[in-house]
Amino acid sequence: MMTAPHTPALLEARALCFLRQDEPVFGPIDFALHGGEIALVEGDNGSGKTTLMRVLTGMLRPGEGEVLLDGAPFSLDTVAGAVVFLGHHLGLKFDMTPRENLRLAAGLYGLRSGTDENAVLREVGLAGYEDEPVRQLSAGQKKRAALARLLLLPARVWLLDEPYANLDREGIALVNRLLEQHAARGGAALVTSHGAVSFAGGEPRRIRLHA
Amino acid sequence: MTPGSTPAACAALLRRDLTLAWRRRGDIAMPVLYAVIVTTLFPFAIGPEPALLARIAGGVVFVIVLLAILLSLDHLFRGDIDDGSMELLMLAPQPLALLVGMKILAHWITSSLPLIVVAPVLASMLKLPPEAMPVLVIALLLSTPLLCLLGAVLVALTAGSKRSGMLLALMLLPLCVPVVIFAAGALAAAQEGLSWVAPIAWLGAGLAMALVLAPLACAAALRIAMDT
């Protein structure tokens, strides 16, 4: 019907919308995210940013429309570790240390070549806290421990729900730096935020959700 | 093992769950303590007649172990769902059923294995004849994983609701009945010097079926629970 693009988009949404008890939560929205692209999802509180993220991970079934990964329809069974999701719940075990938490993630998803647990923890600024239980870290440090997971795993698509929450100025710069590196490696990322965000590298793509 | 491969993932998850359980040793000790206390109270409540105690010993131990397992079952997936680890597991390259199976295995090791270790002691407190002891252990080795697997399905089914404890107990009861009947039946047969192979074989068959089907059912139920 149409000529295929040279490379299919890493993550693509077509007429995606989500209904909760027949009430539309968001959509329909269309976007295509190619390798090296970062998009910012904007919307007020309650406009469905988190819901969109959960639909894109495959955990929520979209009401209508479809999500494509590498040009193929995807579900939880076919995602195969290509997507990593960081939500409000950080997925950290508080009784374990950042290093142990990373070890589980690496065991499940595999390691990005050329990284290891110590290197990524140093990179997110947790050097010296590797073996402290996560419970004893501050909220910002917990967030950093979760961000370290993004660096460690080979996933190509990052879905970050409010990654800037709880972070200081330096932490925000860190998130921006991680996103830039990820884009430079050919990965794609979708970032939600309800506030004004200053990306270091100029103006990002914006996807607006209306309440 | 290369990280990201299926064996590495299973090992990593098993190790994490066992480490977490070890860091909260008090929670492991709870069901064992409960079993010891209840068993100790039995002779005081019904009188110290060796013949009577020996007759009810098997049934009492099975029911106590079952209730002790029920106590700990509710936490099986709760922690992972609350802190977002479940999302990490669901998006992992490995089949969710396999990972859930590992979690159930870790749960069985931490909740049931200590109970199986103390069960012969409890049974001898109730004057169970020594020759029936191996049958007790075999029956427990087969029935406790079966209960954990059946329970895990129900825990997964009720994971979406906030107060699932009561519902869980109510739903688990009819599923427990056949397990208790076969396990206690094997022990009663052994005490009377009859062949106890048939009920044990039934338990084994049930376990084989649950090993295959329960993790799949759990994974499906957890996906529904997260779909809210």
Side-chain angles (χ1 to χ4, degrees):
Chain A
M1 152 180 127
M2 51 188 276
T3 53
H6 349 290
T7 47
L10 213 43
L11 188 68
E12 190 176 350
R14 287 188 189 153
L16 190 67
C17 60
F18 183 76
L19 309 170
R20 185 165 280 149
Q21 278 140 20
D22 293 331
E23 286 281 316
V25 178
F26 66 75
I29 57 168
D30 290 271
F31 67 85
L33 209 57
H34 292 268
E37 275 187 313
I38 290 167
L40 184 67
V41 180
E42 286 181 319
D44 303 327
N45 290 338
S47 58
K49 298 187 296 290
T50 300
T51 311
L52 170 65
M53 285 294 188
R54 294 178 66 85
V55 171
L56 290 175
T57 59
M59 279 184 284
L60 282 184
R61 236 172 271 280
E64 280 158 39
E66 55 180 347
V67 184
L68 305 171
L69 185 74
D70 279 332
F74 97 119
S75 68
L76 273 182
D77 301 311
T78 60
V79 48
V83 176
V84 64
F85 172 65
L86 180 60
H88 295 278
H89 301 297
L90 299 175
L92 294 170
K93 287 289 172 198
F94 284 12
D95 285 339
M96 301 177 80
T97 67
R99 196 201 299 274
E100 287 168 326
N101 273 297
L102 286 179
R103 203 168 287 155
L104 171 79
L108 291 173
Y109 290 75
L111 282 169
R112 187 192 294 281
S113 59
T115 57
D116 64 48
E117 288 134 22
N118 292 327
V120 296
L121 284 171
R122 222 175 16 250
E123 179 138 14
V124 298
L126 283 179
Y129 295 97
E130 294 98 338
D131 297 315
E132 293 285 322
V134 171
R135 180 180 304 288
Q136 289 170 15
L137 302 181
S138 73
Q141 284 173 324
K142 283 177 185 137
K143 191 101 193 188
R144 283 165 187 258
L147 288 169
R149 192 162 66 223
L150 298 176
L151 279 179
L152 189 70
L153 305 184
R156 287 169 297 150
V157 179
W158 290 1
L159 299 175
L160 311 183
D161 196 9
E162 302 282 357
Y164 299 101
N166 281 336
L167 286 175
D168 54 11
R169 195 179 292 270
E170 220 173 291
I172 291 171
L174 169 73
V175 174
N176 286 335
R177 198 167 69 239
L178 297 185
L179 284 171
E180 258 171 62
Q181 288 172 2
H182 184 58
R185 274 191 302 259
L190 204 61
V191 180
T192 69
S193 177
H194 59 262
V197 174
S198 55
F199 274 108
E203 200 58 8
R205 289 259 313 276
R206 281 171 201 276
I207 297 165
R208 220 159 145 94
L209 292 180
H210 299 282
Chain B
M1 283 191 291
T2 44
S5 66
T6 304
C10 292
L13 187 59
L14 193 60
R15 187 171 158 188
R16 183 200 72 171
D17 274 11
L18 293 180
T19 311
L20 280 175
W22 182 247
R23 303 248 157 105
R24 298 173 161 264
R25 296 187 274 286
D27 290 358
I28 306 182
M30 236 274 284
V32 176
L33 212 60
Y34 164 83
V36 171
I37 291 170
V38 175
T39 319
T40 317
L41 289 178
F42 249 91
F44 290 111
I46 58 170
E49 292 166 46
L52 176 64
L53 284 177
R55 201 157 62 80
I56 64 164
V60 168
V61 170
F62 280 122
V63 171
I64 288 172
V65 167
L66 179 112
L67 289 177
I69 289 176
L70 198 63
L71 274 180
S72 57
L73 211 51
D74 199 29
H75 308 296
L76 187 49
F77 301 120
R78 171 72 52 214
D80 278 346
I81 290 175
D82 285 350
D83 68 12
S85 302
M86 190 51 80
E87 286 152 5
L88 200 65
L89 297 183
M90 290 183 113
L91 289 176
Q94 293 80 19
L96 183 60
L98 186 70
L99 299 178
V100 167
M102 281 299 130
K103 280 196 68 66
I104 300 171
L105 173 63
H107 182 78
W108 178 76
I109 292 173
T110 53
S111 73
S112 305
L113 217 46
L115 285 169
I116 296 177
V117 172
V118 298
V121 181
L122 302 181
S124 59
M125 277 163 64
L126 296 176
K127 305 279 182 207
L128 187 77
E131 60 271 18
M133 221 51 101
V135 183
L136 173 78
V137 174
I138 294 171
L140 280 173
L141 279 174
L142 289 173
S143 58
T144 50
L146 184 52
L147 286 172
C148 282
L149 286 162
L150 292 174
V153 177
L154 298 182
V155 174
L157 276 173
T158 54
S161 60
K162 284 289 165 225
R163 293 194 174 189
S164 48
M166 279 308 282
L167 196 61
L168 184 67
L170 214 62
M171 282 162 65
L172 195 56
L173 185 69
L175 292 175
C176 290
V177 172
V179 179
V180 172
I181 288 175
F182 284 124
L187 200 62
Q191 273 176 280
E192 284 164 34
L194 303 170
S195 166
W196 42 266
V197 177
I200 291 288
W202 273 107
L203 280 180
L207 178 59
M209 199 166 80
L211 268 178
V212 178
L213 296 181
L216 293 172
C218 267
L222 281 171
R223 283 196 184 146
I224 296 169
M226 298 297 282
D227 194 346
T228 46

